[in-house]
Each structure stands twice: as C-alpha cells, then as structure tokens.
Amino acid sequence: MVDGEWRKISPNASFIVTATDYISDLQRKTLDLLYQPIIGQTAYALVNILWRMESDNEKFQIKNNFELLSLLNIDLSEFYDARVKLEGAGLLKTYVQATDSLNNIYVYKLFSPLDVKEFFKDDLLSITLLQMIGEKQYYDLGTKLIKKVYSSNDLKDISKNFFRRFCR
C-alpha cells in the first residue's frame, strides 16, 4: 500500500472510464509482456478491466467503485495501490470531480502502452523491467519483440509509382 490516501476513497464512489485512443493487439502484447511484470497482477487485471469497460462504454456511463472491487475481489487499499502503479507506469491518470453528495466522481483516463521500441528507450520502465525479470529474460524479450529490418543499403529501388504513371 502506497499511503493512507486510499481511506478517502469510498466503495460507493462513482467513476467514468475514458481513453486517449483505442488499444491495439500489439499494444496489448506490450502490456502483457513488458508492463505486467512491473505493475503486478492486480494492476494488470485492473487496467484490462478498465480497457474493456471503456471499449463497451459509448456514452461515458457512470459506474461504481464497488463493481471494480467485486470484479477484482480486492479491498480499497489494494485497489488504490493498483491504481497508483498504473499511474506511475503512465497507463492511467485519475481525476476527481467534487459533487454535492458525499461521494466524488472519479474519471479514469487510460493511456495506451508505449510501443516496444519506446518502452526499451524509456530508462525508468526498461530498467525496472530488467530488475523484475532478470538479464536473460529481458534480452530474450527485446530480441523477440523488436522487429528485425532487412538492410536495404546495397539495394536499388526499382518500384513503380502509381501516381507518376497515371497522373501525367
């Protein structure tokens, strides 16, 4: 648990999920293989539930924190800890809107995972991953996930251009 801040969250508080973009299959693979060892299982499950809720949510439906706690089978302190891990990894930002009632409305804004190359260029994320999984697995992931490109330095490009042919 990060701090006592979780005590300010009510299970009855409402939330809305939004995202900056859609998450692709490749980004999900990055989330699975690179982020999950860093954020842990609970935060990983939380971000996946939030992405599913966001994709099903066309009209920014207001949901209840209790629903998340129930789906994850966790308490408020575990929920808060998972949320903070997602925020620290750059996958989530949390906003709050004060209301007239006792409970605030939270807005959970999801951010797509970095692509593989950007992830490995990020010092904090890549070093944390290295510490979590060890050198061998880190190297194996890097060689498996970073696309190898055939060198075209000694090749002559003889491709035809569609627009030059038809636009004369």
Side-chain angles (χ1 to χ4, degrees), residues 33-34 116 120 126 129-131 133-146 148:
L33 297 174
L34 302 179
V116 174
F120 282 106
S126 62
L129 179 66
L130 174 62
Q131 291 173 340
I133 64 174
E135 250 181 84
K136 182 183 178 343
Q137 192 173 357
Y138 179 85
Y139 176 78
D140 291 346
L141 276 174
T143 55
K144 180 167 77 171
L145 294 175
I146 295 176
K148 309 299 180 279

Side-chain angles (χ1 to χ4, degrees), residues 9 12 47 64 76 78-79 83 107-108 112 114 123 132 137-139 155 159:
I9 303 172
N12 296 322
V47 77
N64 189 286
L76 279 173
E78 291 171 297
F79 168 74
R83 192 189 88 192
V107 176
Y108 301 131
S112 299
L114 295 175
D123 290 339
M132 298 303 289
Q137 192 173 357
Y138 179 85
Y139 176 78
L155 304 176
S159 304

